[in-house]
Amino acid sequence: MKDARLGEFEEIILLLVGILEDKAYTLRIAEEFETQTGKSVSIGATHSTLDRLCKKGLLKSELSEPTAVRGGRRKRIFSISASGERALLASRDLRTSLWDQYPAFSKLSLNI
Amino acid sequence: MKDARLGEFEEIILLLVGILEDKAYTLRIAEEFETQTGKSVSIGATHSTLDRLCKKGLLKSELSEPTAVRGGRRKRIFSISASGERALLASRDLRTSLWDQYPAFSKLSLNI
DNA sequence: CATATTATTTCTACATTGTAGAACAAATCT
DNA sequence: AGATTTGTTCTACAATGTAGAAATAATATG
């Protein structure tokens, strides 16, 4: 499997899935995106990204059992696959490495 | 000026410019990208991204004086603008915040 | 000083990601 | 059964990511 690129929005969505755990379904993820970033996003944008992430093998999904809440279709719950976690780690490593080398940032990072 | 989105590749290129300082010109940036990420990239890809970053106002550029080296056209040296630095900081803040909330990562981050 | 050579930029074109909204489906309540 | 609610999936288009060739400008050397 080739090392597919991981876009900016894709990465954030991936992280959001990891954070939401068993609550990670499309609608909730879109909501969480808005609260965490302060920017709005459509369901469609969220869905197609989630979908691509699955096709790349970075995410897996399964349908949940119906809940006790009023109505509603069954949720599709997403979770991070092993290779998704690897991609996230690789991205973090690259970024922290670059930040450390950027003078304007490395100064601020000395507060340990 | 609207808050233009900052793609993944764009962000890395921006950081590379900050790291290379007065050596930040297209060819050198492309080289540095390869050594830092281990992935190859074309000049064209690097150039058009640099160009977009300028148009978004995140980067500025100026032609350098000719050097004492054999031949070659004058270099266009890039540098990060104030709003570029702000964009980078905002991106870093969002990421570190999300990483801290992602259980698989926050465990690993306790080694202070 | 004309020309070969080299370093670097710029142009053109296409693939992949980012983005939105409407249509559709399946639960539960009355 | 029909209305209502929660959620998913489809279709289409804009922005970002990517490559390679062509153009340009500087120096060295015969």
Side-chain angles (χ1 to χ4, degrees):
Chain A
M1 169 183 46
K2 305 191 64 176
D3 242 35
R5 184 171 268 294
L6 186 62
E8 192 238 356
F9 186 56
E10 286 180 334
E11 186 175 351
I12 292 176
I13 292 295
L14 202 50
L15 243 10
L16 253 17
V17 168
I19 291 170
L20 287 169
E21 299 188 282
D22 57 310
K23 288 161 200 105
Y25 63 96
T26 312
L27 227 47
R28 188 74 166 69
I29 293 168
E31 260 176 43
E32 193 68 15
F33 179 90
E34 304 201 337
T35 60
Q36 295 263 4
T37 68
K39 293 169 191 168
S40 70
V41 71
S42 72
I43 300 298
T46 308
H47 173 73
S48 52
T49 298
L50 250 7
D51 209 48
R52 274 185 210 128
L53 254 11
C54 283
K55 277 176 188 145
K56 288 186 189 174
L58 304 181
L59 229 44
K60 47 195 177 173
S61 79
E62 62 180 327
L63 288 174
S64 72
E65 289 308 303
T67 59
V69 184
R70 169 69 201 241
R73 200 166 170 171
R74 291 164 69 187
K75 297 172 177 63
R76 177 170 294 283
I77 304 291
F78 296 88
S79 57
I80 300 185
S81 70
S83 84
E85 194 165 326
R86 257 181 278 125
L88 241 22
L89 262 175
S91 169
R92 188 176 72 154
D93 286 351
L94 174 60
R95 264 159 226 286
T96 52
S97 163
L98 294 178
W99 290 342
D100 283 351
Q101 297 171 69
Y102 177 40
F105 276 7
S106 54
K107 287 173 201 155
L108 304 172
S109 300
L110 296 175
N111 49 331
I112 297 181
Chain B
M1 172 181 46
K2 304 191 66 173
D3 243 34
R5 184 171 270 296
L6 187 60
E8 194 239 356
F9 186 55
E10 287 180 332
E11 186 174 354
I12 292 176
I13 292 296
L14 203 50
L15 243 10
L16 254 17
V17 168
I19 291 170
L20 287 169
E21 301 188 282
D22 57 310
K23 288 160 200 106
Y25 63 96
T26 314
L27 227 48
R28 187 74 168 67
I29 293 167
E31 260 175 45
E32 192 70 14
F33 180 90
E34 303 200 339
T35 59
Q36 295 263 5
T37 68
K39 292 170 189 166
S40 70
V41 72
S42 72
I43 300 295
T46 307
H47 174 73
S48 53
T49 299
L50 248 7
D51 209 48
R52 268 183 215 131
L53 254 11
C54 282
K55 277 175 188 147
K56 287 185 188 176
L58 305 181
L59 228 45
K60 46 192 177 176
S61 81
E62 61 180 327
L63 288 175
S64 71
E65 288 310 301
T67 60
V69 184
R70 169 65 199 239
R73 201 168 171 169
R74 292 165 70 184
K75 298 173 177 66
R76 177 170 294 284
I77 304 291
F78 295 88
S79 59
I80 301 184
S81 71
S83 86
E85 194 166 323
R86 256 180 277 125
L88 242 23
L89 263 174
S91 169
R92 189 176 71 156
D93 286 350
L94 174 60
R95 266 163 227 289
T96 52
S97 164
L98 294 177
W99 290 343
D100 282 350
Q101 297 172 69
Y102 176 41
F105 276 5
S106 53
K107 286 173 200 155
L108 304 171
S109 300
L110 295 176
N111 49 334
I112 299 183

